[in-house]
């Protein structure tokens, strides 16, 4: 090896060691608190682990048990239906609000703040407020419906209305998505709108043919974030639909059943298997969105 190449190799080694030294706190913390627990949970998912005894290897029995578990099938269905309704509803509402607030209207900043503030409220506090709003006897929503002659349902008890009430509540927290969409809309080049006006496009057509394609990366980002959050929904239904005899079946979701298996029923192995299945499903759905995004999402300069 020649002298210049040896000096270059030493510089590269020093650069690598310097980088490892600077990132070592993160590497240590991530290894101890993320990668090691993940590896242990993967191991536990193949065991019978009641927490107070040593885990016993059972192979894939925890995974094979899931299709025959009626509660598992129910929570999967509830979570899937809620995600399938909530994500499109929140996306449409966010886009409409962002488009309206991006127009030159008075007090736009004030309305943006009003829409964003609910996202700062803790989930449990929000759930308590909505429990009062949805109360079948004293709730504000049913009182308003009574003014127009409509008898409101028992939102928190009737199994047919549990999921709709949760979807309505999910619209309460669209503020973060609205802020991102407003920022994306402001980045759309003005020349495109000017050209669309010269072509005689109406405001609605400009929104569909100019705005939406140009902010499609932001839409993809928000949909993925909402997917991750909805699949892991826990705190709000746990507070709103808890009954003296247990959870309302219509308000029972995947992560809640995972938690109950781990810390209520003492079936940590089964809970770990559910956690890994949940992770794989989220990764698969995210990958599908990215693959679909290659045809539907427009990246400037890409």
């Amino acid at each position: 090896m020649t002298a210049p190449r040896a000096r270059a190799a030493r510089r590269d080694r020093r650069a690598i060691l310097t980088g490892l030294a600077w990132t070592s706190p993160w590497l240590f913390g991530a290894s101890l608190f993320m990668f090691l627990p993940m590896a242990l949970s993967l191991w536990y998912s193949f065991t019978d682990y009641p927490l107070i005894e040593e885990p016993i290897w059972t192979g894939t029995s925890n995974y094979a048990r899931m299709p025959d578990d009626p509660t598992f099938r129910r929570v999967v269905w509830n979570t899937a239906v809620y995600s399938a309704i909530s994500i499109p509803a929140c996306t449409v509402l966010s886009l409409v609000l962002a488009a309206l607030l991006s127009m030159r209207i008075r007090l736009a900043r004030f309305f943006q703040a009003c829409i964003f503030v609910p996202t700062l409220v803790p989930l449990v506090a929000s759930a308590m407020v909505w429990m009062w709003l949805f109360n079948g006897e004293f709730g504000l929503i049913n009182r308003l419906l009574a003014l127009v002659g409509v008898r409101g349902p028992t939102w928190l008890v009737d199994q047919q209305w549990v999921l709709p009430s949760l979807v309505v509540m999910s619209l309460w927290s669209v503020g973060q998505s609205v802020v991102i969409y407003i920022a994306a809309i402001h980045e759309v080049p003005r020349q495109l709108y000017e050209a669309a006006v010269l072509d005689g496009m109406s405001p609605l057509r400009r929104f569909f043919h100019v705005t939406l394609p140009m902010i499609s990366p932001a839409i993809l980002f928000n949909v993925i974030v909402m997917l991750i959050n909805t699949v892991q929904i826990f705190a709000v239904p746990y507070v709103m639909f808890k009954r003296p005899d247990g959870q309302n079946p219509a308000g029972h979701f995947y992560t809640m059943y995972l938690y109950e298996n781990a810390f209520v029923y003492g079936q940590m192995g089964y809970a770990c298997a559910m956690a890994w299945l949940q992770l794989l499903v989220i990764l698969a759905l995210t990958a599908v969105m990215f693959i679909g995004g290659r045809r539907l999402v427009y990246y400037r300069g890409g």
Side-chain angles (χ1 to χ4, degrees):
M1 179 182 295
T2 62
R5 293 181 61 184
R7 284 196 294 272
R10 284 197 295 272
R11 280 198 303 272
D12 290 342
R13 282 197 296 272
R14 280 199 299 272
I16 293 173
L17 291 175
T18 302
L20 289 174
W22 279 103
T23 57
S24 58
W26 182 87
L27 291 173
F28 177 76
S31 300
L32 185 62
F33 298 111
M34 188 168 68
F35 299 129
L36 179 60
M38 288 181 68
L40 287 174
S41 72
L42 181 61
W43 156 254
Y44 293 147
S45 72
F46 294 103
T47 66
D48 179 10
Y49 184 25
L51 284 178
I52 57 175
E53 298 177 6
E54 291 293 323
I56 300 174
W57 177 265
T58 58
T60 59
S61 62
N62 287 325
Y63 294 93
R65 171 186 165 188
M66 293 177 190
D68 298 326
D69 183 352
T71 305
F72 175 84
R73 294 199 300 268
R74 186 183 67 218
V75 296
V76 168
W77 172 257
N78 288 344
T79 306
V81 172
Y82 169 70
S83 301
I85 299 174
S86 173
I87 293 175
C90 290
T91 300
V92 171
L93 180 64
S94 303
L95 288 169
V96 171
L97 291 174
L100 293 175
L101 293 175
S102 299
M103 301 168 68
R104 293 179 180 177
I105 60 174
R106 297 182 62 185
L107 302 177
R109 299 282 185 184
F110 171 75
F111 291 122
Q112 289 178 24
C114 290
I115 293 172
F116 185 76
V117 163
T119 63
L120 304 178
V121 180
L123 289 176
V124 174
S126 298
M128 297 300 291
V129 171
W130 282 94
M131 282 179 68
W132 172 73
L133 292 173
F134 281 125
N135 186 284
E137 187 174 359
F138 305 107
L140 179 62
I141 294 176
N142 278 3
R143 286 180 178 271
L144 293 175
L145 290 175
L147 293 177
V148 294
V150 177
R151 180 181 174 84
T154 51
W155 299 87
L156 304 177
V157 179
D158 190 335
Q159 297 196 15
Q160 293 181 340
W161 288 99
V162 164
L163 202 56
S165 65
L166 193 61
V167 172
V168 170
M169 188 195 165
S170 69
L171 302 177
W172 160 268
S173 56
V174 297
Q176 189 171 354
S177 299
V178 172
V179 170
I180 293 174
Y181 288 140
I182 290 174
I185 290 174
H186 286 167
E187 291 298 317
V188 178
R190 298 295 98 182
Q191 299 90 330
L192 296 179
Y193 290 117
E194 293 169 0
V197 171
L198 291 175
D199 286 341
M201 284 189 178
S202 64
L204 192 60
R205 289 187 63 195
R206 290 201 295 271
F207 177 75
F208 281 106
H209 295 285
V210 178
T211 304
L212 280 184
M214 296 304 293
I215 67 171
S216 52
I219 297 174
L220 176 63
F221 170 78
N222 277 331
V223 169
I224 290 175
V225 171
M226 282 191 282
L227 169 71
I228 295 171
N229 290 333
T230 53
V231 170
Q232 299 182 84
I233 185 170
F234 180 89
V236 171
Y238 185 81
V239 174
M240 290 181 65
F241 307 118
K242 191 74 173 177
R243 305 187 307 197
D245 60 341
Q247 192 72 23
N248 188 325
H252 200 199
F253 292 88
Y254 190 94
T255 306
M256 299 164 66
Y257 187 48
L258 188 158
Y259 167 83
E260 290 165 357
N261 276 299
F263 302 107
V264 178
Y265 307 142
Q267 302 182 68
M268 181 59 77
Y270 190 49
C272 289
M274 289 183 62
W276 273 96
L277 179 65
Q278 185 183 40
L279 174 63
L280 294 176
V281 168
I282 290 175
L283 291 176
L285 292 175
T286 304
V288 169
M289 289 186 188
F290 274 114
I291 293 172
R294 292 177 181 174
R295 299 178 61 87
L296 300 174
V297 177
Y298 172 74
Y299 295 98
R300 278 183 286 174

